[in-house]
Amino acid sequence: MKFTALSLLGLFGLASAGAGRPQLSINLKDGKFTDLDGLEPSISWGGSSTRGKVEVEYGVDLAARAATSDISSLTKSIWGKITRHQGGWETSARAEVANGKLDQAEIELEASSKESDLDVKLFASAGKLGGRKINGVEATKGFDMDGARLTFNPRYDVSKEEGDVVIGYSRDDTEVELTASKDDQSIKVSQQLDESNLFSPSVSRSGKISLQWKRKLNEDSTVTTTVRPNDAVNIKWKDNAWTANINIPIDGTKVGATSVIINREITF
């Protein structure tokens, strides 16, 4: 399959006129904050262009700190997407190659209609080693009812031969999400307490519990804290152009190595 890298590079050429600003990401991991050994910087860059009814988007994520003569090993991911609008439908095709494997692509096909309130996705892969195969499919159908909204989202993983369905209901400041498969069922309730606080607890029949609190500090700043007992505490702080993600693994009273990811959009 020579389609992957060449096709994505072709998309870059079509959309280069709408290239955006690069984004520098710095990852502090494994609790190493005292020297450069804990740093994993990367650079993300992308752009988009519209020609008639067709929109082209692309992006690349590169390792910014590596001593190697193999340029392909610096490539974390390259992706491209083409979207077309016609007859009330929006159809798109997205392909991505990752981890320097330029002959293996993950593909996503999507078709959606606002008039029908319907969205369908197909996930596939294509490459030299795995050939072409369908990995999964899902659809989402929405219904508006007297100020409330109901959605049905059946999903099927072809490779695992497993499926589930997600049912969503929202009205005013309350949202409820039910997820059910043959092995487990879960419910998540999101309540907007006021303009600044959103609380979202969830629980599953298998015993998994999650508590999430999103706090709006101002128009450009939010802090989202998610606690999963015996798993992890995750804190996401977004402040204008800065985004920080802190993940702290926990097991009972034991605390694992903290991971910190900091993103800042910069212009070169």
Side-chain angles (χ1 to χ4, degrees):
M1 294 292 297
K2 297 182 180 178
F3 137 83
T4 54
L6 292 178
S7 297
L8 291 174
L9 289 174
L11 290 179
F12 288 5
L14 288 174
S16 58
R21 295 182 297 174
Q23 176 176 298
L24 175 65
S25 302
I26 301 176
N27 180 11
L28 305 177
K29 70 170 191 175
D30 298 333
K32 299 178 181 178
F33 310 108
T34 58
D35 53 40
L36 295 179
D37 290 337
L39 294 177
E40 284 192 353
S42 64
I43 297 176
S44 299
W45 179 64
S48 63
S49 176
T50 301
R51 298 187 179 184
K53 297 181 179 180
V54 178
E55 180 181 0
V56 178
E57 302 170 83
Y58 70 90
V60 59
D61 188 9
L62 302 173
R65 178 176 176 266
T68 177
S69 59
D70 183 5
I71 301 300
S72 64
S73 66
L74 300 178
T75 306
K76 290 187 174 182
S77 69
I78 304 174
W79 64 271
K81 181 179 179 180
I82 296 179
T83 303
R84 181 178 178 83
H85 305 268
Q86 187 171 8
W89 284 84
E90 178 181 291
T91 57
S92 65
R94 184 183 190 278
E96 179 177 2
V97 295
N99 303 319
K101 299 179 180 178
L102 302 182
D103 58 353
Q104 181 68 32
E106 297 299 320
I107 301 170
E108 178 182 325
L109 305 178
E110 181 177 8
S112 61
S113 169
K114 290 184 178 180
E115 182 178 353
S116 302
D117 205 342
L118 176 65
D119 182 85
V120 180
K121 295 180 180 179
L122 184 144
F123 305 93
S125 59
K128 184 177 180 180
L129 296 178
R132 305 176 187 177
K133 61 180 180 179
I134 296 176
N135 299 322
V137 62
E138 67 174 75
T140 302
K141 174 64 178 176
F143 302 91
D144 293 320
M145 308 176 298
D146 298 326
R149 180 165 175 79
L150 182 68
T151 59
F152 290 92
N153 176 211
R155 306 178 297 189
Y156 186 72
D157 189 317
V158 176
S159 59
K160 297 180 180 179
E161 297 184 346
E162 296 177 351
D164 65 5
V165 60
V166 180
I167 301 175
Y169 176 83
S170 61
R171 187 181 182 92
D172 298 328
D173 295 329
T174 303
E175 295 183 5
V176 180
E177 182 180 275
L178 299 171
T179 304
S181 66
K182 66 177 182 179
D183 298 321
D184 198 11
Q185 298 81 43
S186 66
I187 180 172
K188 177 180 179 180
V189 180
S190 299
Q191 181 66 46
Q192 189 74 49
L193 303 179
D194 52 40
E195 292 184 356
S196 302
N197 295 280
L198 175 65
F199 187 60
S200 306
S202 64
V203 62
S204 68
R205 197 181 75 167
S206 62
K208 295 181 179 180
I209 299 175
S210 175
L211 302 174
Q212 185 180 89
W213 174 31
K214 183 176 183 180
R215 170 73 174 173
K216 182 179 180 181
L217 304 179
N218 53 53
E219 291 299 323
D220 301 314
S221 180
T222 60
V223 176
T224 303
T225 303
T226 305
V227 179
R228 297 185 298 273
N230 296 318
D231 184 7
V233 175
N234 187 79
I235 302 172
K236 180 179 180 180
W237 180 16
K238 181 172 178 58
D239 188 6
N240 202 357
W242 287 92
T243 301
N245 281 280
I246 304 172
N247 184 269
I248 308 171
I250 55 175
D251 185 5
T253 59
K254 297 181 179 180
V255 178
T258 301
S259 173
V260 180
I261 299 176
I262 302 173
N263 297 305
R264 172 68 162 99
E265 187 179 87
I266 62 176
T267 303
F268 292 96

